[in-house]
């Protein structure tokens, strides 16, 4: 049974609530959900009759072939010696007052999570910074989901194709360009990830510490676009040491980047969100998720 126009409209409205709400200052509101938008969306979506699933992989009316969603990160983080894992925000076994993100990752044992800014209601649209240490001088790990253009390329945030992390700056009368250089290559469950560094010495009026960046692929999603082409979800990880340390050893940076994982709870929520948005089965289990499935995962 195909979804009606009403069903598609309600699913789209729900998606706006799921993917658009963000902005948390701490663990008291860990998911950053816009409750008003979610309630309005649920009122529309819950009035729909149950629909039969369109199994993933079958030809769709537009002629495209949709494939099941593919997750590109491991389910469990690999901890290097001397590291401990920061569990995902949806991990039921994690402490409720821990500062976390949707993806799990490991940090050195002497990095104690002490704060979090940002947040997102969706694992693939992450916008979270976790801070480590005490006082005002803290290290940080920031996760920021990429925006993907209709042709599958990464957006620069202005509607154009992203080309570089380098950027021009001006501080008072001083102008310059911050340049990121290749720092290391890390294997993340078989995915080769290039880590770049912007040395603080090149822009002392702007940068107080070295800044490390890496883009990691998180999932391949089919069905967001009518031609059935892949939506290559990805995320940028930015790591900054304390102002006292200024720099990090390659082993520390590689250990953090190489430990990222997407646990089962984050995968389940991603599937449910995609099925509510697309109105079809995206993981090949023959079912289409309901709003009740979504609310159960958020409890």
């Amino acid at each position: 049974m195909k979804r009606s126009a009403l069903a598609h409209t309600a699913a789209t409205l729900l998606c706006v609530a799921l993917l658009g709400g963000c902005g948390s200052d701490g663990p008291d509101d860990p998911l950053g959900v816009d409750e008003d938008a979610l309630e309005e969306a649920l009122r529309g979506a819950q009035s729909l009759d149950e629909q039969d699933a369109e199994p993933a992989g079958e030809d769709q009316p537009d002629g495209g072939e949709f494939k099941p969603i593919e997750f590109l990160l491991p389910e469990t983080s690999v901890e290097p010696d001397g590291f401990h894992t920061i569990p995902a925000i949806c991990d039921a076994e994690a402490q409720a007052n821990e500062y976390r993100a949707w993806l799990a990752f490991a940090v050195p044992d002497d990095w104690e999570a002490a704060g979090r800014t940002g947040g997102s209601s969706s694992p693939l649209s992450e916008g979270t910074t976790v801070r480590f240490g005490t006082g005002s001088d803290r290290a940080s790990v920031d996760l920021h989901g990429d925006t993907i253009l209709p042709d599958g390329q990464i957006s620069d945030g202005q509607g154009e194709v992203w080309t570089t992390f380098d950027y021009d700056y001006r501080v008072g009368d001083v102008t310059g360009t911050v340049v990121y250089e290749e720092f290391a290559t890390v294997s993340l469950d078989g995915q080769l990830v290039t880590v770049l560094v912007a040395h603080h010495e090149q822009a002392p009026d702007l940068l107080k510490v070295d800044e490390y960046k890496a883009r990691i692929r998180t999932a391949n999603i089919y069905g967001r676009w009518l031609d059935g082409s892949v939506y290559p979800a990805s995320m940028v990880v930015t790591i900054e040491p304390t102002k006292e340390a200024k720099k990090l050893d390659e082993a520390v940076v590689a250990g953090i980047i190489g430990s990222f994982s997407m646990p089962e709870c984050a995968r389940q929520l991603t599937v449910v969100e995609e099925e509510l948005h697309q109105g079809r089965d995206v993981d090949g289990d023959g079912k289409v998720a309901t709003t009740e499935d979504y609310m159960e995962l958020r409890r």
Side-chain angles (χ1 to χ4, degrees), residues 3-4 6-15 17-18 37-51 276-277 289-292 294-295:
R3 278 184 177 262
S4 65
L6 175 61
H8 179 75
T9 300
T12 301
L13 177 61
L14 181 60
C15 180
L18 299 182
L38 179 57
E39 183 178 351
E40 179 183 351
L42 287 175
R43 281 199 299 268
Q46 286 175 336
S47 66
L48 303 176
D49 292 331
E50 292 186 358
Q51 304 294 316
L276 288 171
H277 174 48
T290 66
T291 54
E292 288 78 11
Y294 172 78
M295 297 308 296

Side-chain angles (χ1 to χ4, degrees), residues 167-185:
Y167 62 92
D168 297 327
Y169 73 93
R170 182 185 186 94
V171 178
D173 294 331
V174 178
T175 60
T177 301
V178 171
V179 176
Y180 288 81
E181 302 174 357
E182 187 168 334
F183 177 73
T185 300

Side-chain angles (χ1 to χ4, degrees), residues 53-73:
E54 285 187 79
E58 289 192 359
D59 289 342
Q60 304 301 304
D62 61 8
E65 182 178 338
F66 292 137
K67 301 177 182 179
I69 189 170
E70 300 171 344
F71 293 107
L72 305 179
L73 296 178

